[in-house]
Amino acid sequence: MAKTKDVAIFERNVAKALGDGQLRRNLRSAMATLSQRRRTLFADAEAFEQLRAQGQSIRRRALSQLPELLEQLEQRCTANGVQVHWAETTTEANAIVLDIVRRHGATRVIKGKSMVSEEMHLNHFLEEQGIEALETDLGEYIIQLDGETPSHIIVPAIHKNKDQIAHLFHERIPDAPYTEVVEELNAIARQELRGKFRAGEVGISGVNFAVAETGTLCLVENEGNGRMCTTAPPVHIALMGLEKVVEKLQDVPPLLRLLTGSATGQPITTYFNMITTPRRPGELDGPREVHLVILDNGRSGIYADPERRTTLQCIRCGACLNHCPIYTRLGGHAYGHVYPGPIGSILTPQLEGLNEAGVMATASTFCGACEEVCPVKIPFTGILRMLRNEAYASTESEHDVKGHGYRYTTVEALSWKSWSLYNTSPALSRIGIRVLSRIVQHLPMIGPLKEWTRTRTPPPFAPKTLHELAHQRGLDDDR
Amino acid sequence: MTANARENILSRLRAITMQGSFVVPEAPIIAGLMLSREERIDRLRRMLETMHAEVRAVAADGWIEELKALLRSRSLNGLLYAPATPLGAALEAAWEEGLPPLVPYTAPVEECREQLFTIDAGITSTRGAIAESGALILWPSVAEPRLMSLTPGLHIAVLEADEVFNTFAEAMERQGWAKGMPTNALLISGPSKTADIELTLTFGVHGPKELVVLIRF
Amino acid sequence: MKAYYFGTCVIDACFPQAGLAGIELLQREGVQVIFPQDQSCCGQPAYNSGFPEEARKVARHQIKTFTQDYPIIVPSGSCAGMLKHQYPSLFAGQPDEEEALRFSSRIYELSEFLIKALDVRLEDRGEPIKVTWHSSCHALREMAIIPYAKALLRQLERVELVELQNERECCGFGGTFSVKQPAISAAMVNDKVSDIVQTGAARVLSTDCGCLLNISGAIGYRGLNIPAQHLAEFILERTHGQD
């Protein structure tokens, strides 16, 4: 049975990630730390349940009126002097950014962290157009130096330890001494980036929440680079996925608490930056132009299906990654797409199509650790199961995910048919298990049994089944 | 043409393809924090200090002396301030020899970038603070621009003890934020920090390395 | 009191002694246990692998087998979870939805039933022993019965529980996951085994035989001698004074 492309690629990535002992050690330590910090902050389980019920309600209320709220957001932003652009695809979004940059004759942009910009492959696009795109978030800066993409939504360089970073800085930053002291590494980065903030011509950021009521763009950060990028240059471009809108200002405090608490166990980040207008008359600093780019890139397709729409509740906290036993072993790069972990596994097949990323939906044991911590109660296992159903579907379905049925094979369908026949026919089951247990040691190690016995002793089929033993004890009937 | 994109996106969002409802569950009513003034200030102080901010309680009539003592204990090349504020006026009136020069922020950033990025300290007022999360509220303005609390290595923030709210929601409500937002509203909970390297927390990245909060009683 | 017993297919084929142990623990408390011979599998393998139609056929067969209004006791958090919490989704909009919901409402995991319905009291007759505990994912999260399982364990006075460093982390079984993503599954189970080894425990216990199948397979492959045992079997052993 030929493997589909996404399965083959993932298999190679998995082998590479699992074979990297340093990566596994780094990840294990990091995930343990992040989950511990979150647990400490949300020590009161009942309070957390209440807070996240609130978070779920707020996000669903926003999603239940998404087109209206987006229009309201646009109207308010426009009235505030913010220029709103819409992009159906990442190609369109990149073109919008390029156009703004060119109009200002800029050749250098400075960037705060933005996962949407990763989705756009913006840096690569700009560089091809001769425009330098410099990451200013420390984690993003580190991976940019190393020519990598982020491996985690919140802590982009989490897969690296400090001596890897020490080597990197020493090699790639002019005049940087070799040091493994974290404070010193930070100081090197601070020094290096200070000048860039001064000289930045266009600042680019993401958006954590966009408030429709007031047209306010909200950003969380700890370092100050986000404020730098959105205050120092004359132009600020904010990039957002269309699902990031919330209805009113009062929706922000619970979501903020859930976001910072779930991401890193903090009650709040160092800065919470709320931007409503460009520089007003008389003001001495701030960008003269603020642009908001609203990106679709497949989200409206997800929106159309009320069950799948819950995917869009996500506030990008990363808690699901931090608690996922699969992510803990693989790290973000092995997933091969922009968003890894549980959120990546439900989002990517829906955005890119099952043929491209359906395998991500199989990289789960349905352990439920993600669902347990999700601050907006996304039903991960339900959506993963649906995506698997879509992947193997042989008939049309109302969900109709892109790439529907891509993994259907007659062999597998027949296997499950025989499985269900076997399990609905008591006579067959009785014979079957008896035969199986007697011949199992003689069976060629093929298929599932072969995989199993590569790393485990074979299943210990018992001489008598529970059915037989129970029957012997006369437990068959209701007497 | 983003106009087409806009129409396409909105019409797709309006055309729900599937039957089935998207239920919006009722949000539970969560009783917000309700502390006494003393408790609020105490909590705020503890949280700021945990985030490596320095907090000093100062009497309304003695705060400038406290400030001077703080400034004299360091060698600073200047103190960025906002002349067109009551705070600024009070500073001007009280300034003396032996203190770092008062540097007014009165020209657009384009004309004083160098100075803004090299000055050692800046002082701003605040619009209150939030006890629950340990954050100061700042609404930069024409008189007190945004970069004042960002570029200097030391940020001194003056907070009125009477303006400490229980929660962010309470602050927004009591101050009527929904009626009109400023260009930029900020919450600041400490000096800048990062944990991007091995999740080890270090302070002083791109924003100020130090935050001193003077709470005026 | 009469109760049905749903044995589960893993127990049926590989761990029938664990199944019997559960039955005996119930009978000891005066429960008349009925084991309908027509039962087979809860349907989870197909349900989670993208074949809901086949899962529904098998699920329907179970519903039609347990006809009377007795509680149905299941010695597995994973299967109990499927029967109780997933059947409502699986049968949503189906003609026999009502019947399925009634069936689901009668499902109990074994530890849960022993504590909540039977208020069982255990007397430890065994020698002192150090054990460790693996919290099976569905027992932990979907069925939330770990507190009951641990309450049973705590009643055994000469059993010392040493906790795993990552007790709540999935062992990597996930049913078909173990053969569809074998490399990741192997990495997970091996980490679990290393965790077990570092506790110095003589046994590892769990409420789920799927996990035990996985863990014991990896333990065996590494040539270690740490039995992975179902809680019911362990309790029966301890309370009969056998070792």
Side-chain angles (χ1 to χ4, degrees), chain A residues 57 60 71 74 88 139 162 186 190 194 198 223 227 269-270 273-274 276 279 283-285 296 300, chain B residues 6 8 12 14 23 25 105 109-110 114 147 149 151 183-185 187 189 193 196 198 202 205 207:
Chain A
S57 177
R60 294 193 126 206
E71 282 191 293
E74 178 189 48
E88 286 186 84
K162 58 182 195 284
N186 286 338
R190 180 188 167 105
R194 194 87 176 158
R198 247 151 85 172
E223 295 174 25
R227 286 179 64 197
T269 42
T270 309
N273 183 8
M274 304 172 80
T276 307
R279 193 190 304 193
E283 287 178 348
L284 303 180
D285 55 25
D296 183 352
S300 55
Chain B
R6 180 187 187 279
N8 293 345
R12 265 200 302 274
R14 292 193 186 105
V23 174
Y105 188 174
V109 58
E110 289 79 11
E114 176 75 28
L147 290 173
S149 60
T151 56
T183 307
N184 180 221
L187 300 185
S189 64
K193 61 183 186 276
D196 270 332
E198 280 195 10
T202 56
V205 198

Side-chain angles (χ1 to χ4, degrees), chain C residues 123-131 153 156-161 202-203 229 234-243:
Chain C
E123 196 193 314
D124 191 352
R125 295 198 183 116
E127 292 304 306
I129 188 173
K130 207 197 283 196
V131 304
L153 205 56
L156 301 172
E157 290 169 335
R158 285 190 220 107
V159 175
E160 184 198 340
L161 173 64
R203 305 250 180 112
Q229 200 177 24
F234 182 71
I235 290 174
L236 197 66
E237 202 186 282
R238 297 297 297 183
T239 54
H240 274 175
Q242 290 156 0
D243 223 331

Side-chain angles (χ1 to χ4, degrees), chain A residues 420-440:
Chain A
S420 73
L421 207 66
Y422 175 91
N423 281 295
T424 49
S425 158
L428 258 185
S429 312
R430 266 195 291 276
I431 302 169
I433 192 71
R434 210 170 288 155
V435 168
L436 191 63
S437 63
R438 274 126 184 85
I439 67 166
V440 71

